[in-house]
Amino acid sequence: MGSKQTQLEVLERVQENNVKFVRLQFTDIFGALKNVAITVEDLPRVLEEGMLFDASAVGGIASHLQSDMVLRPDPTTFVVFPWRPRDGAVARLLCDLHTPEGQPFPLCSRWVLRRVLEEACGQGIRFLVAAEAEFFLFQLDDRGHPTTVTHDLASFCDLTPVDLGENARRDMVLTLQEMGIGTASSHHELGPGQHEIALRLTEALQAADQLVTFKFVVRTIAQRHGLHASFMPQPLSGANGSGLNLGLQVWQGDRNHLWDPYGEWGLSAAGRRFVGGILRHARGAAALTNPLVNSYKRLVPSDTAPTYVAWGEEGRNTIVRLPARRGIDMRIEVRHPDPTCNPYLALAVLLRAGLAGMHQGVEPPPPVSEKLYPAEGGGLGQPGAVCLPRTLEQALAAMQEDDLVRQTLGDTLFELYYQTKAGEWERFIAEVHPWELQEYLKAY
């Protein structure tokens, strides 16, 4: 909950912007944004007391333990939707979930990240996060349903008229900026119809808030342009997949804890061990960073897919890379997550893994000085090379074996997440897919 002063500022902004409705937004454990709308007349009471809500029908929130919860708005997240009419405007507040008794709700993913950040804060450490998110723009059919027909056939950094999505992407950036979300860059990506927008470095919780808002904004603006924005990791066979690169900084006071001017590549001993922790738990966290069956169609060993549990400066297929920027701006780039992840849970596990690496003195393996190449047939090309899981089933098995992941999520959230994703995998393997028909129907 914010301070009384912050609550008063929210009420003042509501009046200034002629807001009539406020959406109380929250995420389920899979990162899907949900909301309950209230009128401004109820806002003062909800800011003070929260709002009791029956979540029994909300998948990824309700549990056998408890379905009633309280939405507690975070006043610092108040923003007016720019695309709504100014006369009778609509605003939103992101919410933390609590039990009716006032305790954090065990299935609140925002609280999971808060808890990790509080643990770090107790050690004098805070995290900053930047994000680069990729997505596709697809055409709609005559009934308004999304297709897999891309909006253009452009490639990396192409311009109009080849890049037909430039206008939509510009409107997305302008809308994000109007909502207080800083963008560093935007451009057409490598695949046809594929785009990237980079969000500026900010505090970790705010970065996660911005990512869930970002996906909501991108899809809303795409719809207004008659398009469908998809964050699916690999919607097209043989094309580039969509990733979510996370740039992480570790600060202690006014010092970037990753930087050491005398360390190799300017990386400190603590930074090295932070990398070591992320690598140690990457396989166990994969079901969170890459949560879909489809996620592993992107993570196929190749020259560019970030599949190898390794790190270095040049390699583009390692999961951790050190960008060329050094000094006070030193950061670690984690390249394997995809934009379908719940950013609260993905960041919570990655940051806690890095913290554990620093405290336990986990030294990473030697850095890779060049690309790792897949062996013939797609296997591992180097002796001792370790890959991320190849399927969601393998990722869930690794998750079961990783105590840090369970401790970070808590038993209740861990079990619900695991069981739901295991069910998703079972539904997938029980389905007959077009590839099987094409490969086997005539031959057998």
Side-chain angles (χ1 to χ4, degrees), residues 211-225:
L211 278 168
V212 296
T213 303
F214 165 82
K215 290 194 282 187
F216 169 61
V217 168
V218 165
R219 300 193 75 171
T220 298
I221 300 303
Q223 188 177 48
R224 293 171 70 87
H225 281 261

Side-chain angles (χ1 to χ4, degrees), residues 56 152 162 178 207 209 242 303 309 349 394:
S56 58
D152 60 43
V162 182
E178 195 169 347
D209 288 343
S242 291
D303 293 351
V309 183
V349 172
Q394 292 180 10

Side-chain angles (χ1 to χ4, degrees), residues 151-169:
H151 187 228
D152 60 43
L153 297 176
S155 188
F156 193 70
C157 290
D158 278 343
L159 307 174
T160 301
V162 182
D163 174 10
L164 298 178
E166 191 172 60
N167 289 339
R169 194 173 66 240

Side-chain angles (χ1 to χ4, degrees), residues 70 79 81 88 112 224 229 288 327 359 374 389 391 403 409 428:
V70 177
V79 68
F81 291 140
V112 171
R224 293 171 70 87
L288 296 164
H359 297 322
T391 65
D403 289 338
L409 301 185
F428 169 72

Side-chain angles (χ1 to χ4, degrees), residues 319-375:
I319 67 169
V320 173
R321 191 177 78 88
L322 298 182
R325 184 177 294 177
R326 299 292 186 263
I328 196 69
D329 293 322
M330 184 82 178
R331 68 177 66 174
I332 289 167
E333 186 179 83
V334 181
R335 305 186 64 249
H336 64 288
D338 68 57
T340 63
C341 72
N342 180 334
Y344 299 107
L345 298 184
L347 280 172
V349 172
L350 288 171
L351 296 177
R352 194 155 187 265
L355 272 178
M358 289 194 297
H359 297 322
Q360 296 168 12
V362 178
E363 290 292 338
V368 174
S369 58
E370 57 186 17
K371 286 181 182 177
L372 290 169
Y373 290 95

Side-chain angles (χ1 to χ4, degrees), residues 7 13 107 117 121 135 161 163 205 238 271 384 389 402 411 415 421:
Q7 293 178 29
R13 291 178 64 188
L107 299 178
L117 299 179
C121 185
F135 57 93
D163 174 10
L205 181 63
D402 197 310
D411 287 338
E415 289 300 333
K421 286 295 172 181

Side-chain angles (χ1 to χ4, degrees), residues 265-333:
W265 295 329
L267 188 65
S268 67
R272 231 178 25 251
R273 292 162 184 164
F274 186 79
V275 171
I278 289 175
L279 296 180
R280 171 175 286 187
H281 296 282
R283 287 179 57 83
L288 296 164
T289 56
N290 307 88
L292 304 186
V293 169
N294 181 257
S295 295
Y296 299 87
K297 303 295 177 73
R298 167 180 168 253
L299 298 176
V300 176
S302 70
D303 293 351
T304 56
T307 54
Y308 293 98
V309 183
W311 68 297
E313 186 178 32
E314 297 298 330
R316 294 286 172 172
N317 55 5
T318 60
I319 67 169
V320 173
R321 191 177 78 88
L322 298 182
R325 184 177 294 177
R326 299 292 186 263
I328 196 69
D329 293 322
M330 184 82 178
R331 68 177 66 174
I332 289 167
E333 186 179 83

